[in-house]
Amino acid sequence: MIKICKYIAFGLLGVIVILLFLATVFEKIYGTSFVNEYVYDSPPFVILWTVLTSAGIVYLLLCKIHKNLAVWLIHLSFVLILVGAFVSWMSSEHGMLQVTKGEQVSFFVDDNGKKYSMPFLIELKDFRILYYTGTHAPMNFVSEVNILDEGKNVEGKVSMNRIFTYRGYRFYQSGYDTEGSVSLFVAHDPYGIAITYIGYTFLLLSFVCFFYNRRSRFYTLLHSPLIMRGAAIFILFLYSSTSIRAEMRPKVLPKELAARFGDICVLYNDRICPLQTLANDFTVKLYGSPSYKGYSPEQLFTGWMFYYSSWQQQPMIKINSAFVRQLLGIKGKYASLNDFTNDLNIYKLEDVISKSQYDKRFKDSRAIEEADEKYNLIASFNSGKLLKIFPYSFNGDLVWYSQADILPESMSRNEWFFVKKSLSYLSEMVVMKDYKHVSMVLEKFEKYQEKNAKGVLPSTQAFKAEKLYNRLHYTLWFSVICICVGFIVFLYYCYCLSDSKRINRSVSALSIMILYAIFLYLTVVIALRWFVSGHIPLSNGFETMQFMSWSIVCISLLLNKHYSMLVPFGILLCGLSLMVSMIGESNPHITQLMPVLSSPLLSIHVAIIMLAYSLFAFVMLNGVTALILYAKKQNSRIQIERLQIISQVILYPAIFALAIGIFVGAVWANISWGRYWSWDPKETWALITLLVYSLALHSKSLPLFRKPLFFHVFTVLSFLIVLMTYFGVNYVLGGMHSYATS
């Protein structure tokens, strides 16, 4: 009977994992409605979970797991969560309510067009968009409503991340249009959410009990005589090279004078920031690096501004695609602006852009769009539209204008003349090399901004912090150094491990000092970005990978006394995760936070998930090290077993952190979107990761995991699921979580 229940439980678990994987693929091909109808919301899928849960409970009882209270509570918590999900599936109602100002509505409509009546009327009193100070970037959307219920009049307010609840009905701010109509998402799930939340609470408490339980397997592994004797690490690579064609050096302003331009405020990405930030992003966008031929971003930016003819000949526009390079007629990776047009001044990419827009399967369509974007960026800059440096109060709003914009008629003639002609006058002074008058004009810009945007400009501290951040956050060279140093230290540690030699104290001390230096650098960079942006920097792929690097270093510093190989692990993994952040480095702008992301729960969710992924990475490196030792065919059985125990110890907090992170994310989703689980591809793959890794904790039921070789192969291959969850979903499958790549 025990074996039958075990085979049913773990067999169905495998079936569900495969089914979830296939569902995300089918969703990409056939759409969300298809998989919702035939998989997630289908009775067979619910029956599958029900049979799995029932077989699991019987198996646990037959194995007398209830005698170990903490482990029993963990499994019961998951059962409770599944029961809550089942109740929600059976009885919950979800839909969209469309209402205009002054209108009274008593029903909402689900995705299939089915109407649900409410036992009261809801009326929209007002709708407002709140903006970040001095910009037109939305900070929040607020709907003020009235509930009319049998003579009672109840006032309420609905905004992003703030639910209005009445008689079990929850209202969420969803959307609006220019005609005054507001969309409110309505959820009615009086029982399922309560049961699920109780399950989350029990899960958290049971995790705490587990780690403090002296009878737990975690406690036994932690005090194993093998765990304190050391281990080893992994490998990797990376060589990155760039080539620049030898050309005449372009004309630039003196570095000190160019830096003065960086002190001017500009409206950029719906945020008031130093012009240095715009110059930095402009340089990285075009060249892929914040420096060109030793020139600072401000020198490059002002070079394009005042010496356009000199810079349009410079091969500094990075073209990654060989196909696009062929279209432009260049041999290296870098094109000049002149390379984009032929002798008749006809744009070379015009025909292929038209084709790629109609057919996304067109060869290298994304690369063509990227090259065209860079060309248009320079065109926009040359027209003056990028430089929104002139604030002016118009119709009660503060609007930032560029020289190329149409100015309001209410602007005085002198002010109009200053906005339209000051940059031209500045160009004349630059040509004459009258740098003293250039500085004077820049001072007038600053005074104009202080006068017209008083109380809106960034504080002196925030301004200086952003300029410091712009000089420090050079991820590429820093990641390359970390990878190289980590690889060298790894080779040395592996050499000592294979020959049973003690690690040199000086090398160990130097490696730890390097870790501390990395920790200090990352802490400063993340803290500066946090201070400048005004929110915890965990809102996109670039920021989350930086946080993961910081988490890796913290773990290495905290635990290296117990496991010395965490030192090279930490340096190498930090470099690799920073290198991965370069996927989004072409656009790592500090921006205003989207209204829906303005929630502390989101930051907690991302931080815990990144911590879990960091721990999985350590386990993966442990596995690779064990496989290297096994391949050497030397007497390394004890070392491989030691690595297995260390990986098992790390897996417990890693899996528990992932579970907690998923459920914190579910709570945030419930507050923000109205559903704590929507089978988004990211959610689904996070669940797959949790289910697959949790198998390794069931070595009593699954004897294969007691074998060191199988265990290490499993941990290495399982990390591919982590990579798919974080990267594959974002860049291939898409979904609501795709904002994380921006």
Side-chain angles (χ1 to χ4, degrees):
M1 184 64 179
I2 293 180
K3 285 187 176 181
I4 294 174
C5 291
K6 182 178 77 170
Y7 292 149
I8 292 175
F10 286 104
L12 289 180
L13 185 64
V15 171
I16 285 176
V17 168
I18 295 172
L19 185 59
L20 293 177
F21 160 70
L22 293 175
T24 58
V25 176
F26 290 151
E27 182 173 1
K28 180 68 176 179
I29 300 172
Y30 300 110
T32 303
S33 300
F34 177 85
V35 292
N36 282 342
E37 181 179 355
Y38 293 103
V39 182
Y40 301 134
D41 290 337
S42 66
F45 187 68
V46 176
I47 292 171
L48 199 62
W49 278 104
T50 304
V51 176
L52 167 62
T53 305
S54 302
I57 292 173
V58 174
Y59 177 65
L60 291 173
L61 291 172
L62 292 175
C63 292
K64 300 181 179 180
I65 294 294
H66 57 278
K67 292 184 177 180
N68 189 331
L69 183 61
V71 176
W72 176 244
L73 285 177
I74 289 174
H75 289 85
L76 281 186
S77 299
F78 282 108
V79 171
L80 202 56
I81 292 168
L82 289 174
V83 170
F86 177 76
V87 172
S88 294
W89 180 76
M90 288 290 294
S91 61
S92 65
E93 300 171 348
H94 299 87
M96 200 67 69
L97 181 153
Q98 204 82 16
V99 61
T100 56
K101 189 173 180 179
E103 183 184 8
Q104 297 177 357
V105 179
S106 62
F107 65 90
F108 57 93
V109 183
D110 68 10
D111 295 337
N112 299 318
K114 182 180 178 180
K115 284 187 177 182
Y116 294 93
S117 297
M118 298 181 295
F120 52 83
L121 293 171
I122 183 168
E123 177 187 19
L124 179 65
K125 288 175 55 183
D126 192 22
F127 173 75
R128 290 175 288 120
I129 304 175
L130 304 181
Y131 297 95
Y132 285 98
T133 306
T135 74
H136 286 87
M139 182 176 66
N140 207 343
F141 308 104
V142 182
S143 295
E144 295 182 1
V145 298
N146 264 347
I147 298 293
L148 307 174
D149 185 10
E150 298 178 354
K152 292 188 295 184
N153 191 339
V154 181
E155 294 184 352
K157 184 181 292 186
V158 187
S159 61
M160 303 307 296
N161 294 310
R162 180 174 175 177
I163 309 169
F164 173 62
T165 304
Y166 184 78
R167 290 181 61 176
Y169 288 85
R170 294 172 293 129
F171 298 90
Y172 301 80
Q173 186 65 53
S174 180
Y176 68 96
D177 59 34
T178 55
E179 298 178 356
S181 178
V182 172
S183 299
L184 299 178
F185 185 81
V186 185
H188 185 230
D189 185 11
Y191 308 111
I193 291 177
I195 297 171
T196 303
Y197 277 19
I198 292 172
Y200 293 165
T201 305
F202 270 103
L203 185 67
L204 180 60
L205 294 175
S206 60
F207 282 166
V208 174
C209 293
F210 178 84
F211 283 113
Y212 281 95
N213 182 9
R214 291 176 177 266
R215 296 176 56 194
S216 70
R217 178 163 171 74
F218 175 78
Y219 188 88
T220 304
L221 291 169
L222 195 61
H223 292 82
S224 169
L226 292 178
I227 200 173
M228 306 303 291
R229 299 182 189 175
I233 208 186
F234 158 65
I235 58 4
L236 236 268
F237 61 45
L238 219 292
Y239 176 75
S240 177
S241 63
T242 56
S243 60
I244 306 175
R245 288 182 270 171
E247 300 279 346
M248 289 182 60
R249 295 181 73 83
K251 294 180 181 180
V252 293
L253 290 177
K255 192 170 185 177
E256 296 76 15
L257 182 62
R260 282 282 292 112
F261 280 82
D263 293 332
I264 304 297
C265 286
V266 62
L267 183 70
Y268 173 57
N269 279 334
D270 285 326
R271 192 174 65 88
I272 303 169
C273 62
L275 193 142
Q276 181 203 53
T277 299
L278 172 57
N280 215 59
D281 290 353
F282 181 81
T283 307
V284 171
K285 183 73 174 178
L286 293 181
Y287 185 59
S289 170
S291 177
Y292 173 71
K293 289 188 176 181
Y295 296 131
S296 68
E298 295 96 326
Q299 284 180 297
L300 184 142
F301 190 81
T302 53
W304 276 100
M305 184 186 298
F306 300 119
Y307 306 110
Y308 182 80
S309 59
S310 174
W311 278 87
Q312 68 182 11
Q313 304 171 30
Q314 289 297 310
M316 55 92 56
I317 304 173
K318 190 172 184 179
I319 306 296
N320 293 313
S321 168
F323 177 66
V324 177
R325 292 199 292 268
Q326 182 181 357
L327 292 174
L328 297 178
I330 61 174
K331 295 181 180 180
K333 287 186 177 181
Y334 296 89
S336 69
L337 188 65
N338 289 340
D339 290 328
F340 282 78
T341 55
N342 60 21
D343 295 337
L344 299 176
N345 202 32
I346 297 175
Y347 187 41
K348 294 180 181 179
L349 301 182
E350 186 171 353
D351 291 338
V352 292
I353 286 174
S354 300
K355 292 178 182 178
S356 66
Q357 287 175 343
Y358 288 107
D359 185 3
K360 291 301 179 182
R361 295 172 296 179
F362 186 82
K363 183 178 180 181
D364 282 358
S365 60
R366 181 67 191 96
I368 293 169
E369 292 174 4
E370 185 179 303
D372 180 62
E373 184 182 354
K374 293 180 180 181
Y375 179 83
N376 287 318
L377 175 65
I378 296 176
S380 177
F381 173 72
N382 188 43
S383 69
K385 292 180 180 179
L386 275 183
L387 278 178
K388 293 187 177 294
I389 58 175
F390 302 104
Y392 179 76
S393 293
F394 180 62
N395 289 337
D397 292 329
L398 185 67
V399 183
W400 288 73
Y401 293 98
S402 71
Q403 185 183 35
D405 291 331
I406 298 175
L407 304 180
E409 295 181 359
S410 59
M411 185 178 287
S412 68
R413 179 172 177 78
N414 288 339
E415 196 168 356
W416 184 95
F417 191 83
F418 176 75
V419 173
K420 286 292 186 181
K421 303 298 182 182
S422 54
L423 287 176
S424 300
Y425 176 72
L426 201 60
S427 298
E428 294 178 13
M429 295 300 102
V430 169
V431 171
M432 297 169 60
K433 294 188 177 181
D434 188 351
Y435 297 147
K436 181 178 179 181
H437 275 86
V438 170
S439 296
M440 291 174 61
V441 174
L442 293 178
E443 288 179 8
K444 288 184 178 180
F445 284 159
E446 291 174 336
K447 290 180 180 178
Y448 179 86
Q449 291 180 342
E450 290 172 1
K451 175 186 175 183
N452 285 19
K454 188 175 182 180
V456 172
L457 298 179
S459 66
T460 304
Q461 294 82 0
F463 202 84
K464 290 180 178 179
E466 184 159 356
K467 292 188 67 179
L468 177 60
Y469 173 80
N470 290 335
R471 290 196 293 269
L472 288 179
H473 84 294
Y474 299 151
T475 306
L476 178 59
W477 64 262
F478 187 74
S479 62
V480 171
I481 291 175
C482 288
I483 290 171
C484 293
V485 172
F487 186 62
I488 292 170
V489 176
F490 160 71
L491 290 178
Y492 173 74
Y493 274 51
C494 282
Y495 166 75
C496 294
L497 180 67
S498 60
D499 288 356
S500 300
K501 293 182 179 180
R502 297 193 65 177
I503 298 170
N504 185 279
R505 288 186 178 181
S506 299
V507 175
S508 177
L510 179 61
S511 302
I512 293 174
M513 287 177 61
I514 291 172
L515 262 182
Y516 273 109
I518 295 171
F519 170 76
L520 180 62
Y521 171 80
L522 289 176
T523 301
V524 171
V525 168
I526 292 173
L528 286 172
R529 190 174 179 100
W530 188 343
F531 178 62
V532 170
S533 65
H535 60 263
I536 301 175
L538 290 171
S539 61
N540 56 45
F542 175 80
E543 293 175 345
T544 54
M545 289 310 296
Q546 276 205 332
F547 180 81
M548 183 172 176
S549 302
W550 183 82
S551 300
I552 287 168
V553 174
C554 287
I555 293 169
S556 301
L557 288 174
L558 289 172
L559 302 178
N560 74 84
K561 289 183 179 180
H562 302 288
Y563 180 30
S564 61
M565 298 311 296
L566 283 178
V567 175
F569 272 47
I571 299 173
L572 186 57
L573 276 176
C574 173
L576 290 172
S577 54
L578 286 175
M579 181 63 71
V580 169
S581 75
M582 292 298 293
I583 294 174
E585 178 72 5
S586 61
N587 187 29
H589 312 304
I590 298 175
T591 58
Q592 306 286 19
L593 201 60
M594 294 167 57
V596 73
L597 303 183
S598 182
S599 169
L601 283 176
L602 175 61
S603 300
I604 296 171
H605 159 66
V606 175
I608 297 174
I609 292 288
M610 286 297 103
L611 176 62
Y613 290 169
S614 301
L615 293 172
F616 287 139
F618 282 124
V619 172
M620 180 271 295
L621 290 182
N622 248 355
V624 173
T625 304
L627 296 179
I628 292 173
L629 292 176
Y630 180 81
K632 294 181 72 174
K633 301 297 183 181
Q634 294 182 355
N635 187 20
S636 53
R637 181 182 62 83
I638 299 298
Q639 293 168 334
I640 293 174
E641 289 179 1
R642 186 181 300 134
L643 290 175
Q644 181 186 15
I645 294 173
I646 291 170
S647 291
Q648 288 173 329
V649 169
I650 297 174
L651 270 181
Y652 279 99
I655 293 172
F656 289 178
L658 178 61
I660 293 171
I662 289 173
F663 297 134
V664 170
V667 174
W668 169 71
N670 191 40
I671 293 174
S672 299
W673 308 104
R675 296 182 181 180
Y676 57 86
W677 196 266
S678 58
W679 294 111
D680 179 74
K682 192 80 161 185
E683 296 173 350
T684 304
W685 273 94
L687 179 59
I688 291 173
T689 305
L690 180 66
L691 295 176
V692 170
Y693 268 103
S694 64
L695 293 174
L697 302 185
H698 295 80
S699 57
K700 286 186 177 180
S701 300
L702 304 172
L704 272 176
F705 286 98
R706 300 175 200 168
K707 299 179 179 181
L709 181 60
F710 176 84
F711 178 87
H712 290 304
V713 170
F714 173 84
T715 57
V716 173
L717 295 179
S718 295
F719 194 70
L720 296 175
I721 299 175
V722 176
L723 297 178
M724 179 62 190
T725 303
Y726 189 79
F727 299 109
V729 172
N730 289 346
Y731 296 102
V732 179
L733 299 179
M736 290 191 300
H737 287 74
S738 59
Y739 66 81
T741 65
S742 60

